Amino acid sequence: MPLELADAIALPDSPEKDYLYTLNFGPQHPATHTTLRLILTLDGETIVRAVPDIGYLHSGFEKLGEHLDFNQYVTIVDRMNYISPVANEIAWHNAVEKLLGIELTPRAKYIRTIFAELSRIHDHLLCCGAAALDLGGFTAFLYAFYQREKIYDIQETAAGQRFHPSFTRVGGLMRDVDDDWIAKVRTFVKEFPKAHSDVRRLLDRNRIFIERTQGIGVLTKEMAINMSVTGPLARSAGVVRDLRKDEPYLAYGDLAGAFKVVCATDGDCFSRYLVRMEEMLHSLNIINAAIENLPTGPVNVDANSKVVLPNQMSVYRSIEGLIHHFELIMTNRQWKSPVEECYAATESANGELAFYVVGDGSGTAYRARTRPPAFIHFQLFPYLMQGHQLSDVVAVLGSLNIIAAELDR
Amino acid sequence: MADTERIAVVRERFDATASLLRGKLGSDVFTTSTFRDNCRLIASSDKVYVILEACKLHGFDMLADMSGADYLHYPDAKDRYGVWYCLVNTSTGERVIVKTYVNDPNPTLPSVYGLWKGCDWMEREVYDMYGIEFKGHPDLRRILLPDEFSSFPLRKDYPMRGKGERHNFNPILRSES
Amino acid sequence: MAIEPMEGIVLTQLDHLANWVRKNSLWPMPFATACCGIELMATGASRHDIARFGSEAMRFTPRQCDLMIVAGRVVMKMVPVMQRIWLQMPEPKWCISMGACASSGGVFDTYAVVQGIDRFIPVDIYVPGCPPRPEQLIQAVLDIQDKIKRTGTLFAREFKNRSTFEGPRLNPATIPASERMIAPGNYETATRLQD
Ligand code: SF4
């Protein structure tokens, strides 16, 4: 039964409620992972009211999006959900390409799909590992982080930067991947299930973990829909919705046989954990199917379409290539976007990550609105917390997977 | 294009929805426009609540996104601020975008908190960034910026580097800390 | 007469002892705000393992720490919090500014982000990179150990001398005076919810 917000925030000012006291939580607190702040009103150990106070990492991403062009802004969106950066890049260029009407080459689609799924694993690993860490299970965190290092290696091989690869470009990718990369992805696919089952063995039947997550922070299906919840959170509450199946983008249409939509019905912290763990295996299936069927051919669309930079040889050796390169680099030429606006959504690890891009005819977005799943999910917190104990705060926070930079932008 | 078929299906569905809504609300309440697979209902700010309510009754049970833009320097723009609501029907997957415009001074819109609780923080963010007020919102405060902040940073007439607010603190010297 | 040199000798040796002890048991306070914080976690996790250099005892309360690692961008709303945490740390204390954002604002030259934390708190070591690799952070810890070894004194006299502002001068006035305004930033609004 969804509670009214008015109940959740009304100050208890009647004199018989004087014994309630207020506890400040954050903005610098280990369980918040980064920066967010809660003002909790407590009755003993029980939480009567929780008011989130955010904005401690508001850095003006959307304003920057109005000043940097379509390719430059990819370095900024990277830093938005920084535990799965490539998912943001893919979402951003997905929106830009929809605005400009560009159809990617099959190889670019497959490589992007692999990266999108790797970043889903990346994100879920940190989320599950850190949730366990907050509840006292340090080993699961170390196992999870070790696998994250492997994904960092894969990103580094492809793009040169291990953390923020900035790998996508309008109309394709920064560069093609090589055999070394493919071998690394294959090894990862082979080795990951073992690490995954290690983490599961530590947590799935762990008495402490289960006691602290089962029945905590229950989200109902109606509430999930009414509060705009998407992604694993909604799926663990029984909303069967996955944009990869519903509105297939990239190569998900071809690979639809490789994965299923993972759902649960309880909607508590434990089922969120289970959904995330199971999703990782389905992501692994997608990666496996994609890497074995990786199409050959170019990764960028045809250079004549004037949306991608020509290759270095043609810039140096031909006058057309030079002019073309110059036109894309000059700030007053660049891409010709339609005077239109479009909303393009992708399924990131956290939920529906979308961009609403307003084009004004130039190569820079007039407005680049992000639909950040973490921001929308954090509204739930006061409702989920009502009536729980103080120690459940960390369990719920960990299962919501709030990324401060995405929360505040 | 590979998804031309999908776009055709989406538009067909949208036409059906739009004519249904027209039948309910009258033919001049909104205009429609489409771009790729985005389908929009465009309405004036006093009619928008009626349309959103009708959409909700029609089955659009989730407010996927809601935000705005400042069209100050936009080519051929007539109104200053635009606000859009992206709605989803979670059982059929249908999407529709309801768009409206408001103007200075005192841009005001009705809050849709009564229809979708998810709009709570999104409306606060629009208020924080553009200064558009939402009548009927239970708790309209600044959300991302400090309470004492007095500008609306995403308006086009606010400079990207701000007006010096970011450095308006006292430094701590090493010898005194 | 003969006593004074003796005293001098004993004091320098105590300085050495203190430096040696301090440098090998730095307890970092991870002031992690953004992406760099995840690299900080990676530095503490199994592959890079900062414990090899005696700095793995991350304490999340400033009152137990002597090394503040500011990892990530610090924005307007966060500055008073950062200053307060710095003031709460006991002497002697040092500060590492990790990453481009903390050191100079990095890619975020916007209205909300502070262009370098050294404008507001004293910084000892800057680590470049966006984000710095864990190896770089470990190098920074080694550097600060070296700095302690070279300059440390028993009663922290070296800090007394640093009485001038060390950060960059404020931006030259690019904004006309009429456009400027006085806005946020005191401890009241930073730590209390306003109604
Ligand atoms: S320096 Fe780079 S990685 Fe570090 S906080 Fe800034 S943007 Fe993030």
Side-chain angles (χ1 to χ4, degrees):
Chain A
M1 179 64 206
L3 295 149
E4 293 298 323
L5 182 74
D7 302 341
I9 61 163
L11 276 164
D13 45 7
S14 60
E16 63 268 31
K17 293 209 175 144
D18 265 356
Y19 58 89
L20 297 179
Y21 68 96
T22 308
L23 182 72
N24 179 51
F25 189 98
Q28 232 302 303
H29 186 279
T32 64
H33 295 204
T34 38
T35 49
L36 36 98
R37 177 168 172 234
L38 305 166
I39 294 117
L40 307 169
T41 309
L42 300 174
D43 173 0
E45 283 264 312
T46 313
I47 291 170
V48 181
R49 183 176 69 119
V51 182
D53 180 19
I54 65 171
Y56 287 91
L57 197 55
H58 174 67
S59 6
F61 280 80
E62 289 177 5
K63 191 85 178 173
L64 271 170
E66 296 167 5
H67 289 82
L68 299 178
D69 71 32
F70 294 144
N71 267 348
Q72 288 170 331
Y73 190 49
V74 76
T75 56
I76 307 291
V77 294
D78 250 349
R79 282 137 180 92
M80 203 172 300
N81 182 342
Y82 43 70
I83 65 174
S84 54
V86 195
N88 302 303
E89 296 166 16
I90 289 166
W92 165 244
H93 274 145
N94 189 35
V96 170
E97 279 149 11
K98 196 185 214 180
L99 181 75
L100 300 178
I102 300 169
E103 174 75 10
L104 290 175
T105 62
R107 188 173 171 88
K109 279 188 183 169
Y110 271 70
I111 297 174
R112 280 197 193 181
T113 309
I114 295 172
F115 265 112
E117 291 310 312
L118 279 175
S119 66
R120 190 180 316 278
I121 295 178
H122 212 34
D123 195 307
H124 287 350
L125 273 176
L126 186 89
C127 177
C128 295
L133 174 70
D134 291 342
L135 300 180
F138 195 56
T139 322
F141 168 78
L142 289 179
Y143 282 177
F145 231 93
Y146 194 66
Q147 292 306 311
R148 277 176 64 85
E149 289 284 347
K150 299 231 166 105
I151 299 178
Y152 281 146
D153 282 349
I154 293 174
Q155 289 182 0
E156 195 173 356
T157 318
Q161 230 275 34
R162 69 184 224 124
F163 201 87
H164 291 311
S166 304
F167 192 50
T168 60
R169 293 287 180 275
V170 177
L173 300 170
M174 186 177 98
R175 63 177 208 205
D176 200 354
V177 296
D178 51 12
D179 293 342
D180 191 18
W181 182 82
I182 294 174
K184 277 198 174 150
V185 175
R186 286 218 174 101
T187 327
F188 179 77
V189 171
K190 219 164 55 239
E191 287 172 355
F192 182 71
K194 166 127 193 342
H196 182 265
S197 72
D198 281 349
V199 177
R200 293 202 75 151
R201 268 212 301 270
L202 278 174
L203 297 178
D204 270 13
R205 284 151 55 81
N206 183 327
R207 188 70 179 274
I208 302 171
F209 187 73
I210 292 176
E211 298 261 304
R212 290 200 59 184
T213 51
Q214 214 158 38
I216 304 293
V218 178
L219 176 67
T220 60
K221 186 174 173 184
E222 295 72 46
M223 195 167 155
I225 292 175
N226 204 305
M227 300 281 287
S228 313
V229 179
T230 50
L233 252 65
R235 287 196 284 275
S236 71
V239 184
V240 189
R241 215 176 124 65
D242 189 328
L243 296 183
R244 294 176 294 172
K245 288 268 195 213
D246 297 347
E247 303 168 9
Y249 54 99
L250 295 179
Y252 290 116
D254 307 352
L255 302 170
F259 69 105
K260 294 200 170 67
V261 180
V262 184
C263 288
T265 46
D266 289 356
D268 57 358
C269 293
F270 190 60
S271 53
R272 277 172 228 147
Y273 156 79
L274 288 179
V275 165
R276 287 206 170 93
M277 288 311 266
E278 198 56 39
E279 257 183 26
M280 282 194 245
L281 291 183
H282 287 270
S283 295
L284 207 67
N285 278 349
I286 301 179
I287 298 173
N288 195 15
I291 199 97
E292 297 310 333
N293 299 314
L294 195 63
T296 50
V299 286
N300 283 339
V301 295
D302 190 10
N304 290 328
S305 61
K306 302 257 155 68
V307 293
V308 291
L309 291 179
N311 69 23
Q312 198 181 15
M313 270 308 135
S314 80
V315 176
Y316 280 109
R317 299 264 175 86
S318 74
I319 186 75
E320 295 83 34
L322 185 67
I323 292 174
H324 173 188
H325 185 271
F326 186 70
E327 292 222 317
L328 268 186
I329 293 297
M330 289 299 289
T331 44
N332 55 354
R333 297 288 179 84
Q334 297 186 312
W335 300 270
K336 296 274 170 295
S337 60
V339 184
E340 261 293 356
E341 36 196 78
C342 83
Y343 177 84
T346 59
E347 180 79 26
S348 83
N350 238 351
E352 180 174 331
L353 175 64
F355 282 91
Y356 193 103
V357 191
V358 180
D360 61 348
S362 72
T364 307
Y366 183 80
R367 168 88 167 95
R369 150 79 180 168
T370 324
R371 182 215 187 262
F375 179 75
I376 287 158
H377 293 166
F378 199 39
Q379 317 184 50
L380 281 173
F381 190 78
Y383 301 97
L384 296 186
M385 241 18 262
Q386 208 102 31
H388 282 308
Q389 304 285 306
L390 179 59
S391 56
D392 298 334
V393 170
V394 288
V396 173
L397 265 183
S399 75
L400 287 183
N401 193 18
I402 305 299
I403 312 301
E406 192 184 61
L407 177 73
D408 297 343
R409 280 153 299 127
Chain B
M1 259 180 131
D3 52 11
T4 17
E5 287 162 32
R6 199 174 72 83
I7 291 178
V9 174
V10 164
R11 289 200 180 165
E12 209 169 288
R13 232 173 8 176
F14 172 67
D15 287 342
T17 309
S19 60
L20 225 143
L21 288 176
R22 275 216 180 87
K24 253 190 236 167
L25 303 170
S27 57
D28 52 350
V29 193
F30 58 82
T31 56
T32 59
S33 74
T34 48
F35 177 71
R36 315 238 192 263
D37 68 349
N38 283 9
C39 305
R40 289 182 288 246
L41 303 170
I42 300 163
S44 65
S45 57
D46 50 341
K47 300 272 171 51
V48 70
Y49 191 81
V50 188
I51 293 171
L52 288 166
E53 205 170 19
C55 285
K56 165 120 195 206
L57 285 179
H58 184 65
F60 291 100
D61 47 2
M62 186 194 276
L63 177 73
D65 185 21
M66 184 214 137
S67 190
D70 177 1
Y71 291 100
L72 185 61
H73 307 305
Y74 200 64
D76 306 327
K78 289 189 208 68
D79 304 280
R80 174 110 194 235
Y81 307 105
V83 175
W84 53 79
Y85 302 79
C86 305
L87 310 181
V88 186
N89 183 334
T90 46
S91 36
T92 62
E94 191 179 352
R95 282 178 187 274
V96 70
I97 298 174
V98 179
K99 191 154 186 212
T100 186
Y101 295 94
V102 279
N103 279 304
D104 274 339
N106 303 329
T108 318
L109 276 176
S111 165
V112 293
Y113 187 76
L115 302 177
W116 299 279
K117 294 234 160 44
C119 76
D120 178 3
W121 282 16
M122 296 191 243
E123 284 184 351
R124 277 177 70 185
E125 193 191 354
V126 174
Y127 167 69
D128 197 356
M129 294 294 155
Y130 293 103
I132 299 174
E133 244 176 83
F134 290 90
K135 279 266 147 49
H137 189 283
D139 183 29
L140 199 66
R141 290 178 288 133
R142 283 195 178 267
I143 185 165
L144 294 176
L145 291 158
D147 284 344
E148 323 85 47
F149 203 79
S150 51
S151 319
F152 300 106
L154 277 187
R155 286 190 179 178
K156 286 282 173 182
D157 48 12
Y158 185 79
M160 182 171 76
R161 297 195 171 79
K163 297 181 174 174
E165 300 94 331
R166 61 183 178 185
H167 288 151
N168 201 7
F169 301 88
N170 291 328
I172 298 178
L173 300 183
R174 188 62 186 86
S175 54
E176 68 198 24
S177 64
Chain C
M1 281 300 116
I3 290 166
E4 270 177 18
M6 283 283 285
E7 248 179 16
I9 290 162
V10 171
L11 272 181
T12 43
Q13 283 178 341
L14 266 186
D15 279 352
H16 280 306
L17 182 68
N19 291 345
W20 179 72
V21 171
R22 280 171 188 163
K23 103 182 201 312
N24 287 316
S25 66
L26 286 171
W27 284 22
M29 148 88 209
F31 188 81
T33 57
C35 353
C36 281
I38 306 293
E39 276 305 62
L40 185 61
M41 274 160 94
T43 318
S46 37
R47 186 186 281 187
H48 299 283
D49 196 8
I50 202 173
R52 294 176 293 159
F53 306 96
S55 306
E56 84 284 12
M58 301 221 183
R59 287 297 124 95
F60 294 93
T61 158
R63 295 179 193 84
Q64 297 178 355
C65 300
D66 48 11
L67 173 64
M68 175 147 135
I69 302 181
V70 181
R73 49 191 176 273
V74 174
V75 306
M76 206 159 59
K77 211 169 169 179
M78 199 70 180
V79 174
V81 180
M82 179 183 70
Q83 290 190 329
R84 173 174 265 208
I85 287 180
W86 173 252
L87 289 176
Q88 282 177 352
M89 284 169 59
E91 293 279 355
K93 57 190 172 188
W94 297 270
C95 176
I96 291 181
S97 152
M98 174 182 179
C101 285
S103 306
S104 70
V107 286
F108 295 97
D109 190 3
T110 59
Y111 54 88
V113 181
V114 166
Q115 302 295 296
I117 57 161
D118 49 2
R119 290 169 190 271
F120 304 112
I121 60 169
V123 175
D124 291 283
I125 303 274
Y126 299 84
V127 191
C130 181
R133 295 183 63 98
E135 293 88 334
Q136 269 175 285
L137 185 64
I138 291 174
Q139 181 60 45
V141 171
L142 293 181
D143 284 348
I144 210 145
Q145 291 180 352
D146 188 48
K147 180 169 183 173
I148 295 169
K149 198 170 120 207
R150 279 189 291 101
T151 63
T153 50
L154 183 56
F155 296 111
R157 283 192 307 278
E158 79 273 23
F159 298 135
K160 289 277 171 307
N161 306 331
R162 292 166 62 181
S163 57
T164 48
F165 178 60
E166 295 166 350
R169 298 280 139 215
L170 290 183
N171 278 347
T174 44
I175 309 143
S178 60
E179 285 280 271
R180 272 187 252 165
M181 57 176 142
I182 301 300
N186 55 35
Y187 294 133
E188 292 293 290
T189 59
T191 50
R192 247 149 253 155
L193 187 69
Q194 296 219 316
D195 291 313

